[in-house]
Amino acid sequence: MNNAVVFDFDGVIIDSLEVQRKAFFESFRLVSDGPLPSFEEFLGHSGDSIPNIFTKMGLSLDMTEHYRRIARENIHLIQIIDGMEELLRYIKDAGWLCGLCTGKDRPRTLLTLGEHGLAGYFDAVVCSDDVTHPKPHPESLLCTIDQLHTTVEHSVFVGDGKNDIICAREAKMRSIAVAWGHNPVEILRQEAPSYVAYNVEELRHGLQALFLHTEVSL
């Protein structure tokens, strides 16, 4: 059975923070003249779908299409995390499967992958609108594993949000929390990930430890 690495997208492979901030506040202003909601709270729900996040925050769902449109219009501002493309290449060279499990909707996900030339690295892509229950529910992650034709025992999920780590735990899958995303490490540690990586090189070492049984402290 092949090993598989499944990634969250925003905050792990790409830095889309400023695009998210712009889309969040501009979409809110298009539907409301009330006080601005908390962007930090919005980030705390990362991994879930945009409509679910807005619902949990008590925001109008009328924001949804505005948010997605503004995010698409500013896709050129998204940057790939330094060293991440090299890691994706390493995973391919190692013969491991590679999946993407994201709270983004499919049109924006595919657009972003294409814009940055990343699509060829992924053997499966599952987005929040592909499933009934997005993260932290395990459905999207289990769907990704099914599309990769492997098992949770041979897989690891890499994420930057507590919803990612909860999702992996509910799927009974090992997880690696990355510290370069937009969520405090102490919050991630509370969800008991298998490993915490503070940079891309540590992430590579963590994957080697989990799959190749090298001596790295987990």
Side-chain angles (χ1 to χ4, degrees):
M1 188 66 67
N2 285 336
N3 292 323
V5 185
V6 181
F7 289 95
D8 177 44
F9 202 18
D10 295 273
V12 177
I13 294 174
I14 58 171
D15 181 358
S16 58
L17 183 64
E18 292 311 312
V19 174
Q20 291 181 74
R21 190 194 310 274
K22 182 179 180 66
F24 181 67
F25 287 129
E26 289 189 10
S27 61
F28 178 79
R29 279 301 184 211
L30 287 170
V31 303
S32 174
D33 57 2
L36 292 175
S38 168
F39 184 59
E40 288 69 28
E41 181 182 353
F42 173 79
L43 292 178
H45 292 295
S46 64
D48 205 341
S49 68
I50 292 298
N52 282 355
I53 293 173
F54 289 164
T55 298
K56 290 175 180 178
M57 294 182 66
L59 300 174
S60 171
L61 288 178
D62 291 341
M63 288 176 60
T64 302
E65 287 310 310
H66 292 303
Y67 179 96
R68 289 172 172 168
R69 174 184 54 78
I70 295 165
R72 286 195 303 271
E73 291 171 351
N74 290 277
I75 196 170
H76 60 283
L77 299 177
I78 292 174
Q79 298 181 342
I80 302 174
I81 299 294
D82 287 344
M84 185 54 69
E85 188 166 6
E86 289 78 6
L87 178 64
L88 293 173
R89 195 173 300 120
Y90 168 81
I91 289 169
K92 283 296 184 186
D93 291 344
W96 300 339
L97 298 168
C98 190
L100 191 66
C101 179
T102 176
K104 257 186 169 50
D105 58 274
R106 178 162 286 271
R108 285 193 299 133
T109 298
L110 297 182
L111 187 64
T112 304
L113 288 171
E115 177 82 8
H116 294 284
L118 297 174
Y121 292 109
F122 297 98
D123 303 295
V125 175
V126 175
C127 307
S128 61
D129 50 349
D130 293 326
V131 296
T132 303
H133 306 291
K135 294 179 283 183
H137 192 283
E139 181 187 355
S140 57
L141 186 51
L142 293 173
C143 182
T144 309
I145 295 304
D146 184 60
Q147 290 186 20
L148 291 171
H149 304 293
T150 188
T151 66
V152 293
E153 292 81 11
H154 288 85
S155 305
V156 61
F157 189 34
V158 182
D160 75 315
K162 68 176 184 178
N163 282 341
D164 298 319
I165 310 306
I166 294 170
C167 177
R169 184 173 67 242
E170 292 299 310
K172 296 180 169 51
M173 187 186 303
R174 294 169 296 181
S175 61
I176 296 179
V178 302
W180 58 82
H182 313 306
N183 296 281
V185 174
E186 56 270 21
I187 298 297
L188 301 179
R189 286 192 179 277
Q190 288 174 7
E191 304 303 335
S194 308
Y195 180 72
V196 177
Y198 286 85
N199 54 57
V200 175
E201 185 64 15
E202 286 189 3
L203 174 54
R204 183 173 67 85
H205 290 161
L207 292 172
Q208 290 171 335
L210 293 173
F211 290 152
L212 304 177
H213 309 294
T214 56
E215 291 297 323
V216 175
S217 173
L218 299 181

